[in-house]
Amino acid sequence: TFVASNIYWNPTGVIFQLEWIPLLLNSDRAAFQARIRKEVPQFQIFAFQGSNRVERPLNYSSLYFPITYASPRMDSLLGLDLNDDVEGPSIFRAFESGLPASSGLFDARVTDPILIQEFRGFNKLMGIYFPLYTTING
C-alpha cells in the first residue's frame, strides 16, 4: 500500500493502483507461473468475461501482459492479462516506442461485488504505461 495509499505520493487520491506488468512470452509461461505461484498459490493468467475469470488457455497468444504485482495489493487482479482490445494497444505503443503511453479513459471491466468494493468507487480508469526494459544493445 506504499504508493497509491500514501498521502505524499498520491495526495488527491487519483492514483488507484501501481502495477508491474511484464511482457511474457508464451514459451516462458509455465516457468513464470510456477515462480509466481510460490508467492501467490492461486496465480493464473486470465481475462474477464463479464464477471467471470476465465483462464487464458496455453498457447492463447504469443505474448501476455499479466498483472504480476500491485500496490495496493489486490490478489483478485493478479494474473489479469492486459493484452486485450482495451489496454493492449497502449502497452504495445509504449513497448515499441520506449516512451510512456496512455490508454485514455475506459470503463472498469468488473462486475464482481468483491472487486467493485476493492475499486472504491472507481468506475472510469486510465492506464499509463512506462516501459522498463533493456534491449540486446543495452
Side-chain angles (χ1 to χ4, degrees):
T1 61
F2 174 69
V3 176
S5 63
N6 186 301
I7 193 165
Y8 300 106
W9 285 93
N10 190 20
T12 60
V14 297
I15 297 173
F16 171 65
Q17 188 171 63
L18 293 181
E19 301 166 344
W20 178 259
I21 305 166
L23 180 151
L24 176 62
L25 299 175
N26 187 58
S27 58
D28 298 331
R29 179 178 167 168
F32 175 83
Q33 286 188 147
R35 188 174 74 246
I36 299 301
R37 284 180 180 154
K38 291 178 182 175
E39 293 181 42
V40 184
Q42 73 279 12
F43 184 87
Q44 66 178 8
I45 296 173
F46 73 96
F48 282 116
Q49 289 182 350
S51 62
N52 298 317
R53 292 170 53 114
V54 178
E55 185 173 9
R56 293 275 201 217
L58 293 175
N59 302 315
Y60 175 83
S61 176
S62 61
L63 291 174
Y64 303 91
F65 294 111
I67 297 174
T68 304
Y69 296 101
S71 176
R73 186 169 173 166
M74 191 180 294
D75 286 353
S76 53
L77 289 181
L78 295 181
L80 175 61
D81 182 18
L82 299 183
N83 187 4
D84 59 18
D85 294 340
V86 177
E87 297 180 78
S90 301
I91 294 171
F92 276 107
R93 196 168 56 250
F95 174 72
E96 291 171 351
S97 70
L99 299 170
S102 168
S103 66
L105 286 176
F106 60 88
D107 292 326
R109 296 167 285 168
V110 296
T111 56
D112 180 272
I114 294 171
L115 282 175
I116 290 171
Q117 182 179 359
E118 289 180 343
F119 272 56
R120 302 184 321 269
F122 283 86
N123 58 7
K124 291 284 187 186
L125 305 174
M126 179 176 75
I128 301 173
Y129 311 97
F130 292 87
L132 302 172
Y133 58 87
T134 58
T135 63
I136 293 171
N137 297 324

